[in-house]
Amino acid sequence: MRKTHSAERGQFLVLYRSFLLRIIDLELLSADADTAKLLGQFAALFAGLSYLFTFWLVFTPGRFPKVFLWTMEHFLISTTMVVVSLFSVLCWDSIFPDKQDVLVLAPLPVRANTLFRAKLAALIVALSLSVVSLNVFSGLVWPSLFSVTNGGGLFGAIRSMAAYWITMALAGLFMFCCVLGVQGAASLVLPRQQFLRLSALLQAGAFFVFFGGYILEPSLETPEALAAPENQRLLACLPSYWFLGLFQQLNGSMVPEFTALARRAWVGLAIAVCGGVASVLLAYFRTMRKTLEEPDILPRVPRMNWQVRFGSLLETCVALFSIRTLLRSRQHRVLLCFYLGTGFAIVLAYVKTPLGQQGFLRGPRGDVVDAAFLAASLWVICFAVIGVRVVIAMPHMLRANWIFRMTETRGAGEYLAAVRRSLLLIALAPAWLLLAVLFVFRWPTWPVAGHLVVLGLMGVIVVELCLDGFHKLPFACSYLPGQPKVYVVFWGLLLVLAPLSAARVERGMLNRPFSYFCMVALLALIAVAARWRTTASAKLTERLVFEEEYPPELLALRLDGTK
């Protein structure tokens, strides 16, 4: 009996370490990618955020008002919840064993519950590390300030710190169990093929919901807002305020406004934990059997075979290959949703104030377009193009790129034209069409039509800048992550600051025809120059770059005394 228990414990530890190091799918990275280093980079990033939340307290000594402390408590809780939820979505496919795990582990004498416990323990440890790293500084400094509301002193500080960490752990557990419950319920109800298709949509939707909810969540931390009858229905739908009430309850600084919120937190946590554990337990043991019994891909339904042409034969082939790879590759879809979700959050944060003041879909149609919406539309174009450009640089199946090497019969300039057509179709066209529908529906005026022309030219310029030096095929060439360069910071700041100033200048030119045509002519000239530059650079390249390598670094020792 002891030997059996010891063997199961050893199996659990081996599986736990393996699953922990594979918590994030790295199939799209190079062979040099290290999961431990990547998790360490995530932890360092979260710790840096925690430091930003805390360091400025050195320059603001003194006591803070109670409403400010409540606002900061809610901010820290909601930030922890959104980080845990996003990390849970990133680990979406690591919750259940994939087909490779089942094929390797099923013939071995490993019990299903051992596999389940190891998988769940790895996820919990990874998520716990994210919570701890995100609060490593703020969780040590802010509780001493929050203790003012419970009487202060040494006992108050200790109680406040314990309440803080318990609240963060429970809030993270709540979000993790919600994601588990949704995924477990979907895998339990749907066949495996439909679940695999729906899970991609659920992941993409979850990114935008979590980012959008975090940015658009209203500020209701004052006693008047918490007690207002018109806000009660809204507070009942915002879990971050539930756990704000829970923290106040654990901290001993309970006021009547937080009583109902704390009760909702306990009830919601119990429902989330029970629902998540139950659905995952039921789906987990069914999933292992369904993984082997049911194929991952449904048979093709006979339909009329009609191919869309996107220019020449090479341009059509590269465009169709890029579109289908992006639609079928789970890793690239998740990565693209992460980039687009981040851009979506930045845009929402910027237009939140004018959106709340005048709305987007209400009000007289003849209103003048606010400069904030003009800048936001420029950001949308930039984020869409750059996000797709980053994603297509990562391979789908790197071992299969020998097919493209054998069929490389044309010059790099022709391949560049095909990649340009793919980037215009995948990134620029959908974003521009979406913005065109929104702007024309809200402001159907000639200045809006002029702005759409400017958006198209700006998108073409961004596409050409992204293709400068890109002598590859989409999804077919190796990728080396983690190459920090100074110019990345420069272009990042330029991406944020340029649309702000450009929107103000454009708004003044839209109502002046001569100035507007001069601006359009200048943008067209810049687009032509950028295209000529990228094309000339491609023509100077002999072959496509399939293997990305670090540049060689030679150091001369000069032992002979020469200079």
Side-chain angles (χ1 to χ4, degrees):
M1 193 70 181
R2 291 182 178 179
K3 292 182 179 180
T4 304
H5 180 71
S6 178
E8 290 184 358
R9 183 179 180 183
Q11 292 174 353
F12 171 80
L13 293 177
V14 172
L15 292 173
Y16 162 74
R17 295 192 189 97
S18 176
F19 291 148
L20 183 61
L21 293 178
R22 292 170 46 208
I23 199 68
I24 298 178
D25 196 351
L26 295 178
E27 292 181 5
L28 52 85
L29 299 181
S30 65
D32 296 332
D34 189 354
T35 311
K37 293 182 180 179
L38 184 61
L39 292 177
Q41 292 176 357
F42 274 114
L45 175 63
F46 294 156
L49 292 176
S50 179
Y51 176 74
L52 291 178
F53 300 156
T54 309
F55 83 98
W56 54 272
L57 292 174
V58 179
F59 306 100
T60 55
R63 298 172 63 91
F64 295 99
K66 182 181 294 186
V67 174
F68 175 79
L69 294 178
W70 287 355
T71 303
M72 199 63 199
E73 291 168 7
H74 175 254
F75 170 75
L76 295 174
I77 292 172
S78 59
T79 303
T80 301
M81 294 178 71
V82 73
V83 167
V84 172
S85 60
L86 293 175
F87 199 83
S88 301
V89 175
L90 286 174
C91 302
W92 181 279
D93 296 287
S94 300
I95 297 176
F96 299 130
D98 55 15
K99 180 165 289 188
Q100 182 180 0
D101 291 333
V102 176
L103 291 175
V104 173
L105 298 175
L108 301 177
V110 180
R111 300 177 61 182
N113 60 354
T114 303
L115 182 65
F116 170 72
R117 289 187 292 109
K119 199 84 167 180
L120 192 61
L123 286 171
I124 292 176
V125 169
L127 293 170
S128 301
L129 288 176
S130 65
V131 174
V132 172
S133 59
L134 185 62
N135 296 277
V136 63
F137 295 107
S138 55
L140 298 176
V141 177
W142 279 104
S144 61
L145 300 176
F146 297 154
S147 63
V148 175
T149 59
N150 65 1
L154 180 60
F155 177 76
I158 295 175
R159 180 174 182 175
S160 182
M161 182 169 294
Y164 180 89
W165 285 102
I166 293 174
T167 303
M168 296 301 176
L170 294 180
L173 179 63
F174 171 79
M175 298 303 299
F176 178 55
C177 289
C178 288
V179 176
L180 281 181
V182 172
Q183 184 181 8
S187 64
L188 182 64
V189 174
L190 300 175
R192 178 168 175 77
Q193 298 88 354
Q194 296 182 9
F195 166 72
L196 292 177
R197 292 181 177 179
L198 182 62
S199 63
L201 297 177
L202 290 176
Q203 280 181 290
F207 276 112
F208 290 98
V209 168
F210 290 140
F211 274 121
Y214 179 70
I215 297 298
L216 296 179
E217 191 174 41
S219 180
L220 304 173
E221 293 87 0
T222 61
E224 295 78 12
L226 292 172
E230 61 272 13
N231 294 333
Q232 298 309 308
R233 182 174 297 180
L234 183 60
L235 289 171
C237 302
L238 298 176
S240 60
Y241 284 97
W242 304 353
F243 288 92
L244 176 61
L246 178 61
F247 173 76
Q248 298 296 329
Q249 184 184 65
L250 297 176
N251 194 33
S253 55
M254 199 67 174
V255 294
E257 291 80 5
F258 292 111
T259 304
L261 296 176
R263 188 184 307 113
R264 290 194 187 100
W266 289 114
V267 174
L269 181 63
I271 294 175
V273 171
C274 293
V277 172
S279 61
V280 170
L281 281 175
L282 292 175
Y284 194 92
F285 295 103
R286 287 188 59 196
T287 301
M288 294 187 64
R289 182 175 65 252
K290 288 161 57 176
T291 302
L292 291 177
E293 294 176 353
E294 301 180 12
D296 292 345
I297 302 177
L298 288 172
R300 186 176 183 270
V301 179
R303 66 184 68 178
M304 183 173 59
N305 189 10
W306 178 69
Q307 296 289 348
V308 182
R309 292 297 296 267
F310 300 111
S312 65
L313 183 60
L314 178 61
E315 292 174 347
T316 302
C317 292
V318 174
L320 290 177
F321 172 74
S322 303
I323 294 172
R324 291 173 178 175
T325 303
L326 190 59
L327 291 176
R328 296 173 181 176
S329 175
R330 170 180 48 83
Q331 299 97 334
H332 292 86
R333 284 197 307 267
V334 172
L335 189 60
L336 180 60
C337 289
F338 180 78
Y339 280 108
L340 295 182
T342 305
F344 178 67
I346 295 175
V347 171
L348 279 183
Y350 183 68
V351 301
K352 182 179 180 180
T353 301
L355 195 64
Q357 291 177 351
Q358 66 184 47
F360 192 85
L361 299 179
R362 63 177 184 269
R365 290 176 174 265
D367 290 350
V368 179
V369 184
D370 193 286
F373 293 112
L374 299 180
S377 61
L378 294 173
W379 272 340
V380 170
I381 292 292
C382 294
F383 286 132
V385 174
I386 294 176
V388 174
R389 163 63 179 81
V390 172
V391 170
I392 66 174
M394 299 182 180
H396 178 46
M397 294 185 65
L398 186 59
R399 292 175 295 179
N401 70 354
W402 59 271
I403 299 176
F404 301 98
R405 297 190 183 193
M406 293 178 61
T407 57
E408 185 185 356
T409 58
R410 309 196 186 188
E414 297 184 56
Y415 286 103
L416 174 66
V419 176
R420 180 188 293 115
R421 185 66 57 91
S422 302
L423 203 58
L424 292 173
L425 289 172
I426 298 175
L428 180 58
W432 188 88
L433 289 175
L434 176 62
L435 292 172
V437 172
L438 293 176
F439 274 100
V440 172
F441 182 79
R442 178 59 178 84
W443 295 289
T445 57
W446 285 111
V448 167
H451 174 65
L452 294 177
V453 175
V454 173
L455 274 182
L457 291 174
M458 288 294 298
V460 172
I461 293 173
V462 176
V463 168
E464 296 300 332
L465 292 178
C466 289
L467 292 178
D468 186 25
F470 186 77
H471 306 142
K472 302 179 181 180
L473 282 176
F475 307 106
C477 305
S478 65
Y479 171 74
L480 289 177
Q483 301 184 53
K485 297 178 181 179
V486 177
Y487 71 85
V488 175
V489 179
F490 170 76
W491 287 113
L493 293 175
L494 186 63
L495 173 64
V496 174
L497 298 178
L500 295 176
S501 56
R504 294 185 176 90
V505 175
E506 181 190 359
R507 186 183 180 186
M509 292 184 174
L510 286 176
N511 295 319
R512 291 180 292 177
F514 180 76
S515 300
Y516 171 75
F517 284 116
C518 291
M519 177 179 61
V520 171
L522 179 61
L523 291 176
L525 183 62
I526 295 175
V528 171
R531 180 162 183 168
W532 176 83
R533 173 186 170 86
T534 54
T535 304
S537 175
K539 289 181 178 179
L540 296 176
T541 304
E542 297 181 356
R543 300 179 62 86
L544 295 176
V545 179
F546 286 96
E547 294 293 338
E548 194 172 85
E549 300 177 351
Y550 292 107
E553 297 182 0
L554 300 178
L555 179 63
L557 298 179
R558 305 188 187 280
L559 299 178
D560 56 352
T562 59
K563 295 184 179 180

